[in-house]
Amino acid sequence: MKFADWAVSHRRGILFLAFAIAMAGIAAALTVPVGLFPKVSFPRIEASLDAGDRPAKQMVLQVTRVAEKAVRSIPGVVGVRSTTSRGTADVSVNMAWGTDTRIAALEVESALTGALPSMPPGTAVSVRRMDPTVFPVAGYALTSDQTDQIALRLYVRDQLVPALSAINGVADVTIGGGDIGEFEVEVSDEQMVQAGVVIGDVSNALAASNVLQAVGRIEDLHKLYLVVTDDRLKTMDDIKKTIIRAGPSGTITLDDIATVREAAAPNWTIVTSNGKPAVLFQVYQQPGSNTVQIVKDVKSKLETLKAGLPAGTQMRNWYDQSDLILASAASVRDAILIGVGLAALVLLFFLRNIKVTLIALIAVPAALASSILILKIFGRSFNIMTLGGMAAAIGLVIDDAIVMIEQMVRGLAERKEASHAERARAAAASFFKPFLGSSLATVVIFLPLAFLSGVTGAFFQALSLTMASALIFSFLVGWLAIPLIADKLLTQKDVDREEKRDTKKGLIDRLYTGAIRTLLRAPILALLIVGVFLGGSYLAYKHVGSGFMPHMDEGGFVLDYVAPAGTALTDVDNLLKQVEAILLATPEVDTFSRRTGIQLGGGLTEANAGDFFVKLKPLPRRPIDAVMTEVRDKIGAHVPALDTDTALLMEDLIGDLTSVPQPVEIKVYGDDQAKLTEIAGNVAKAIGGVQGLVSILDGIVLAGDALTITVDRPLAELNGLDPTEVTQQINALLTGDLPTQITQGINVMDVRVRLPATERTTIDDISRFEIRNTNGALVPLSRIAKIERVTGQPELTRENMKQMVAVTARIDGRDMGSAVADVINILKSDASLIPAPYTWEIGGLYKEQQASFRGLMTVFGTGIILVFMLVLFLYESFAIAVTLLFVPLIGAGAVFIGLFVTSTELNISALMGLTMILGIMTEVSIFYFSKYQDLCKTGMERFEALVQAGQARFRPILMTTVAAILALIPLALAIGQGSAMQQPLAIAIISGLIVQMPLVLIVIPSVYRILGRIPKPGKVNDA
């Protein structure tokens, strides 16, 4: 029994199976997680080390170098980059793509823990994996005119964090801003001198007076008792009554020599929302969880808690990742519906038959539902890449349906002596080989993407899986379901109507027949046309800009800023209040949050730096790029002391995940930090004139001024002191001792003992500090130590164990490729900018772009080889296989022209489209050559077969081309928020489709006539 007969005999089972798979896909759609990005584990581990407030150079020697050496020996490490500041260091460990980052994180943590004995005592280490979940899915701000920042923070910590942490899928809820309450004991130097005590005596007395300790057990009256001494301090009055000294002359209590009050702990960061002091809390998701559902649950929970907000408190949502996800999903949904609708109109226009149109369109929901089922099976999510893949696949799915239904109609019109069912089976069976070959031509293009690494592979593998699964199921539906449905629904009347219309040759058919006969007789003309076209393509290629990721309006942006090094925190705050006024006056701004001394993405941040997250109002409004440029220009004009930098969310997130946040990065290597600083400044000035470069930074991040207290050891010894004792007492006087803690309800509050602010504000105040020696005598600090002011202590950056400074810039109003090319030309043309032995290289997102381009071009080349092999297996003809090599050549040229005409950058999305067009054009070419071979088998002359194959395939190719173009138009227009990610891909595919018909129906036959040595009509074929 032939397969066609078997399929007919199992019609109900096959159709029910297809229906069941589609229903399973629809059911899976209800449970597939929804997120912004694919589930990607970036091969980077971030380690943070804290060793107090020691100078950066000392940190490098004692901590950073030890940590770098420890992690560099871990298998799979490809690079180590570190940034060191006063007392802290961030070490970024880059692994090979494909590394299990969970295991890698444990190995990094283990290596650093093993190295801790070689670091200063008390050094703390924390390690985290880098993936998209390091960015919050939702962020809220609490501001109040009536409740203080201590109470607001306690409310968030004690009420909101526990409630939100219980939500399914929430990994963490972090708090930023606000104040932490403590009891502050201020003891003036004068009062301590009068009482004959030092600050250490006060601390010791408080610690000794606040005791809760189990001292043993006893048995009595048949019970076992735990004996506990409870001498805890419970109230502020208890603190005040603490006895500092008792003797014959009387008792000195803390209240006699100190002021005790509730206060905020020292804080060198500032957090605001819409210009008001705020407490921020961010919600982070677990990997693989449903972002939209998490945010929905968070909103619902917060709504129930609003009644309990402290008096006068307002809650603002300053970030909601689900907004972009839902907007992107709506855009893709609209693109799919519009595309399908337009394709249906095309089919109705050409076929004039509603039944035939509906049969063709049935493949769309079946293929999409099946692809959703595959996403569920492979643990993928709905995100901007998978949803975009569905939208991009619509045109190709409709193509498959069109060619099969057209084949069925043609087959039913032939062999009138056979029954209707026999003709239907024969039509489907005879089309199996070209239909399978054409589907494979598109699917095999996606195979090399499975081996693509880097950011491109991480993102586009999700799109490839979606499209490949949709196309595979499209083939199965077209091969099995459509013939079975058409066999029952198409009547002889439908066939006769199509056959009658087919016999009427329109003007376009006659023009095509004349053109193909002319060019086949003189194929050199076709090659000349191709040459002219390729020349134009080359010119377009030279003028097309290049980028990395498509620019997408995500509804918000990040504004980074840096104030002059050493600027007081109060002065930085005053500068930023002017920035807040600019944002509040910008009509497109909905809300914003600001961090100073910390950053949203974490990492090492000085007190003069930080960021804003600016949330814009929903569309319609001005494009986000226009808003960003205006804000940046206004800050430059009105707050020139600030260096600012704006970035789109995706760009900023990918930069944080890959540790290369800037598009342009010039890495300069050398051993002398002073010389590196000089070179970096010169390079920054040199590239300042490059068109399109903005936010140029020389990479020298100064930690601000410092006071260095150098203890004279001999003098200290003569006065009964050593440097360690001096350091400990200065810390107590300046920052304060934390001798004990007091429980207040469910809170534990520190008790801080230190001098009043009026006695520790200036350098002179510090020089007057009195240090107690081992004999109890007080020694002025100025007698045993020298106090010096040190300015401009820079952060130190190292890469792969080498000292490095990175000059960075962003790009505005210009493509990345040409801007970086100008930068490279400047560096190469003036060797004095970076003299030997200092070296340089280009990093940043440009380096990632180049790696991605190389990977995609490898995929493109591999795709050509796979398609060549496929065609060779199908036809066993080198002439046909070599002829089809013109497909990628002309297709690429069409893509470059399309990008040039639409002013679209050549980025990874466009290159993905370029790769896909290879398979799409080959698919149509296979249909043409299959018909050509069928005609040759009937004994027709090869020349005439080339003509009639084109005539036979003209209408289906025209239908599929127009339908595919119209299906992709919504994506190409980037209608809706979040749709810009697939726009370059759609433009690239449409550009290729536009030249598809003349390429396949005119150029390919002309080239094949030469390679196949086909004679003119009437001549003997000696091939």
Side-chain angles (χ1 to χ4, degrees):
M1 179 184 291
K2 293 182 179 180
F3 182 83
D5 297 328
W6 179 89
V8 171
S9 64
H10 294 82
R11 182 196 311 273
R12 293 179 180 84
I14 292 173
L15 293 179
F16 180 79
L17 178 61
F19 177 77
I21 292 175
M23 289 299 100
I26 293 173
L30 302 177
T31 59
V32 171
V34 183
L36 181 59
F37 302 112
K39 183 181 177 181
V40 178
S41 182
F42 284 77
R44 176 169 167 249
I45 310 298
E46 185 81 16
S48 298
L49 300 104
D50 191 323
D53 282 327
R54 64 193 68 240
K57 289 184 178 179
Q58 188 179 356
M59 273 292 296
V60 168
L61 295 173
Q62 297 182 337
V63 177
T64 308
R65 289 173 62 175
V66 176
E68 289 174 342
K69 185 177 180 181
V71 300
R72 198 67 182 85
S73 60
I74 298 174
V77 172
V78 296
V80 178
R81 182 165 176 166
S82 67
T83 302
T84 307
S85 186
R86 289 187 302 210
T88 56
D90 284 345
V91 180
S92 176
V93 185
N94 295 313
M95 318 292 290
W97 280 91
T99 300
D100 188 329
T101 54
R102 291 173 297 181
I103 296 176
L106 293 174
E107 289 178 330
V108 169
E109 187 170 21
S110 175
L112 292 176
T113 302
L116 280 179
S118 301
M119 300 180 190
T123 301
V125 175
S126 62
V127 174
R128 62 172 179 166
R129 294 184 293 130
M130 302 303 292
D131 59 51
T133 59
V134 301
F135 203 81
V137 297
Y140 289 84
L142 293 186
T143 58
S144 179
D145 297 326
Q146 301 179 34
T147 304
D148 63 52
Q149 292 291 297
I150 294 176
L152 272 185
R153 186 180 176 97
L154 286 175
Y155 173 78
V156 173
R157 190 196 71 181
D158 299 336
Q159 303 298 323
L160 299 186
V161 170
L164 298 180
S165 297
I167 294 174
N168 185 39
V170 171
D172 193 15
V173 182
T174 62
I175 306 174
D179 290 319
I180 299 174
E182 64 180 16
F183 289 106
E184 188 170 85
V185 179
E186 290 190 340
V187 190
S188 73
D189 193 51
E190 181 180 351
Q191 290 171 315
M192 286 191 291
V193 170
Q194 291 176 356
V197 298
V198 293
I199 204 165
D201 298 328
V202 177
S203 296
N204 293 335
L206 284 167
S209 301
N210 190 35
V211 177
L212 174 65
Q213 184 175 339
V215 294
R217 289 181 173 85
I218 64 168
E219 286 186 353
D220 188 24
L221 301 175
H222 308 289
K223 289 188 177 182
L224 177 66
Y225 291 93
L226 175 68
V227 182
V228 179
T229 60
D230 187 354
D231 296 315
R232 287 177 293 171
L233 301 172
K234 297 180 176 63
T235 66
M236 188 183 300
D237 285 339
D238 291 342
I239 298 174
K240 292 178 179 180
K241 294 174 182 177
T242 299
I243 297 174
I244 305 301
R245 174 175 292 177
S249 58
T251 301
I252 300 175
T253 64
L254 185 60
D255 198 27
D256 295 328
I257 63 171
T259 301
V260 182
R261 60 187 177 89
E262 287 191 35
N267 182 20
W268 300 105
T269 64
I270 297 176
V271 173
T272 68
S273 174
N274 283 16
K276 296 181 179 180
V279 177
L280 308 181
F281 60 95
Q282 294 82 230
V283 180
Y284 295 83
Q285 70 178 116
Q286 295 175 356
S289 55
N290 191 325
T291 305
V292 173
Q293 188 61 46
I294 290 172
V295 175
K296 181 180 178 181
D297 292 345
V298 166
K299 289 179 179 178
S300 176
K301 178 62 70 174
L302 291 177
E303 194 64 33
T304 63
L305 296 172
K306 269 189 176 180
L309 286 175
T313 300
Q314 288 185 319
M315 183 184 295
R316 291 189 182 89
N317 176 212
W318 55 267
Y319 180 62
D320 184 346
Q321 196 175 96
S322 68
D323 286 344
L324 178 58
I325 296 171
L326 293 174
S328 299
S331 299
V332 171
R333 178 203 63 207
D334 295 343
I336 291 174
L337 293 176
I338 294 171
V340 171
L342 292 174
L345 292 176
V346 171
L347 295 181
L348 276 175
F349 176 79
F350 281 102
L351 301 176
R352 312 292 174 85
N353 190 313
I354 293 179
K355 283 194 295 184
V356 175
T357 301
L358 291 177
I359 293 172
L361 292 180
I362 200 172
V364 175
L368 292 185
S370 302
S371 67
I372 293 172
L373 182 61
I374 294 298
L375 292 180
K376 177 67 176 178
I377 292 172
F378 281 89
R380 302 294 180 123
S381 66
F382 286 133
N383 51 66
I384 58 174
M385 302 308 296
T386 53
L387 291 173
M390 291 181 190
I394 292 298
L396 306 182
V397 172
I398 292 175
D399 280 0
D400 286 346
I402 288 174
V403 294
M404 178 53 80
I405 197 68
E406 203 271 343
Q407 170 68 15
M408 293 298 299
V409 172
R410 284 183 177 274
L412 289 170
E414 299 172 351
R415 295 176 58 204
K416 295 292 181 66
E417 71 280 0
S419 67
H420 185 88
E422 288 175 340
R423 282 178 284 159
R425 290 196 295 271
S430 65
F431 201 57
F432 173 72
K433 181 179 176 181
F435 193 53
L436 175 63
S438 64
S439 297
L440 287 176
T442 308
V443 173
V444 295
I445 295 299
F446 297 108
L447 292 180
L449 286 168
F451 306 98
L452 190 62
S453 63
V455 175
T456 308
F459 276 75
F460 281 93
Q461 281 173 5
L463 180 142
S464 302
L465 175 65
T466 307
M467 294 194 68
S469 58
L471 294 176
I472 290 172
F473 279 102
S474 172
F475 164 75
L476 294 174
V477 170
W479 176 41
L480 296 173
I482 287 180
L484 295 175
I485 296 172
D487 178 24
K488 286 296 182 182
L489 293 185
L490 292 182
T491 64
Q492 190 59 44
K493 183 179 179 180
D494 296 318
V495 175
D496 293 340
R497 186 187 302 118
E498 288 299 313
E499 188 178 14
K500 183 179 179 180
R501 184 179 298 115
D502 215 26
T503 59
K504 296 180 180 179
K505 298 297 182 181
L507 176 62
I508 296 178
D509 293 303
R510 292 194 298 272
L511 289 175
Y512 166 71
T513 301
I516 185 63
R517 288 189 181 279
T518 300
L519 289 173
L520 282 177
R521 291 178 184 275
I524 194 67
L525 292 177
L527 295 180
L528 288 175
I529 294 172
V530 170
V532 173
F533 177 81
L534 292 179
S537 303
Y538 178 75
L539 291 176
Y541 166 75
K542 297 297 289 185
H543 290 85
V544 169
S546 67
F548 182 45
M549 299 288 283
H551 289 286
M552 185 167 64
D553 190 333
E554 303 161 68
F557 63 91
V558 177
L559 170 64
D560 294 317
Y561 59 84
V562 179
T567 305
L569 186 61
T570 304
D571 294 334
V572 174
D573 187 41
N574 290 333
L575 291 173
L576 295 172
K577 286 178 180 177
Q578 300 177 57
V579 177
E580 291 173 337
I582 292 172
L583 292 174
L584 290 171
T586 304
E588 290 80 10
V589 171
D590 181 19
T591 185
F592 60 86
S593 61
R594 187 250 288 188
R595 287 150 290 276
T596 303
I598 53 176
Q599 287 185 342
L600 183 60
L604 221 164
T605 310
E606 302 293 344
N608 62 321
D611 60 31
F612 287 83
F613 183 90
V614 183
K615 181 181 179 182
L616 301 183
K617 294 176 181 177
L619 295 169
R621 52 165 165 74
R622 282 190 300 165
I624 192 169
D625 287 333
V627 177
M628 291 166 59
T629 300
E630 179 184 290
V631 168
R632 191 172 58 243
D633 291 345
K634 284 185 176 180
I635 295 173
H638 297 93
V639 199
L642 287 178
D643 287 326
T644 59
D645 180 20
T646 55
L648 296 170
L649 301 183
M650 181 181 293
E651 182 180 308
D652 191 63
L653 175 59
I654 292 177
D656 287 341
L657 293 175
T658 58
S659 77
V660 285
Q662 308 295 339
V664 181
E665 182 186 46
I666 306 164
K667 297 188 285 189
V668 184
Y669 299 93
D671 296 327
D672 188 335
Q673 181 63 38
K675 185 63 177 177
L676 278 176
T677 301
E678 178 188 339
I679 291 173
N682 293 336
V683 170
K685 290 178 183 177
I687 66 173
V690 174
Q691 179 189 353
L693 290 193
V694 296
S695 303
I696 300 173
L697 301 174
D698 61 11
I700 306 302
V701 180
L702 301 178
D705 295 351
L707 294 178
T708 301
I709 301 174
T710 306
V711 177
D712 188 316
R713 291 179 180 273
L715 285 176
E717 290 291 340
L718 288 174
N719 285 274
L721 291 164
D722 63 50
T724 300
E725 293 172 330
V726 174
T727 300
Q728 290 173 348
Q729 293 192 47
I730 293 173
N731 181 72
L733 293 166
L734 188 60
T735 303
D737 259 348
L738 298 174
T740 191
Q741 294 177 318
I742 295 179
T743 303
Q744 296 281 285
I746 62 173
N747 299 315
V748 177
M749 298 177 66
D750 287 329
V751 178
R752 185 181 300 273
V753 182
R754 63 176 175 176
L755 293 175
T758 55
E759 297 182 20
R760 50 179 170 80
T761 302
T762 67
I763 298 175
D764 289 339
D765 289 338
I766 295 176
S767 66
R768 286 193 291 267
F769 282 174
E770 293 191 320
I771 312 298
R772 171 175 282 184
N773 63 15
T774 52
N775 299 321
L778 296 176
V779 181
L781 179 62
S782 57
R783 182 188 300 173
I784 59 172
K786 182 172 63 174
I787 303 175
E788 294 178 307
R789 180 182 296 169
V790 180
T791 60
Q793 292 188 334
E795 291 182 356
L796 301 177
T797 305
R798 290 161 55 86
E799 186 171 70
N800 293 328
M801 317 291 279
K802 295 183 291 186
Q803 198 156 296
M804 183 265 287
V805 172
V807 180
T808 60
R810 289 200 180 272
I811 300 171
D812 184 31
R814 192 181 180 189
D815 70 282
M816 183 191 296
S818 62
V820 175
D822 286 351
V823 169
I824 293 173
N825 288 335
I826 289 174
L827 296 176
K828 288 184 175 179
S829 62
D830 187 358
S832 64
L833 276 176
I834 306 177
Y838 294 86
T839 58
W840 63 274
E841 67 177 47
I842 298 293
L845 289 180
Y846 176 79
K847 183 177 180 180
E848 190 68 37
Q849 178 220 47
Q850 293 299 297
S852 298
F853 278 18
R854 287 192 296 271
L856 282 171
M857 292 314 297
T858 301
V859 168
F860 184 73
T862 306
I864 292 175
I865 295 173
L866 291 175
V867 167
F868 183 86
M869 293 173 60
L870 173 65
V871 173
L872 197 58
F873 272 105
L874 278 175
Y875 301 114
E876 288 295 325
S877 169
F878 276 104
I880 294 178
V882 173
T883 298
L884 290 187
L885 291 180
F886 275 74
V887 170
L889 185 66
I890 298 175
V895 169
F896 290 128
I897 291 176
L899 295 177
F900 173 73
V901 170
T902 57
S903 300
T904 304
E905 290 183 350
L906 177 65
N907 48 43
I908 59 176
S909 180
L911 279 175
M912 185 70 185
L914 172 63
T915 303
M916 289 171 58
I917 202 66
L918 166 63
I920 296 169
M921 287 183 166
T922 304
E923 173 184 352
V924 178
S925 302
I926 288 174
F927 289 137
Y928 172 82
F929 276 111
S930 296
K931 186 63 179 178
Y932 163 76
Q933 283 199 335
D934 289 343
L935 293 172
C936 288
K937 289 176 182 178
T938 64
M940 184 179 294
E941 283 189 349
R942 296 170 67 193
F943 184 96
E944 188 62 26
L946 287 174
V947 175
Q948 292 200 20
Q951 292 174 335
R953 293 303 186 203
F954 183 84
R955 192 178 73 159
I957 290 177
L958 178 60
M959 281 193 295
T960 57
T961 300
V962 175
I965 290 174
L966 292 179
L968 288 168
I969 284 291
L971 275 185
L973 295 177
I975 300 172
Q977 188 176 351
S979 58
M981 176 59 75
Q982 280 77 36
Q983 184 184 30
L985 179 144
I987 290 173
I989 295 177
I990 289 174
S991 301
L993 290 173
I994 289 173
V995 301
Q996 177 175 265
M997 279 197 68
L999 171 65
V1000 174
L1001 296 177
I1002 295 178
V1003 174
I1004 292 300
S1006 301
V1007 174
Y1008 179 65
R1009 201 215 137 185
I1010 296 172
L1011 295 178
R1013 294 182 291 177
I1014 299 175
K1016 292 182 180 180
K1019 292 188 177 182
V1020 178
N1021 184 3
D1022 57 356

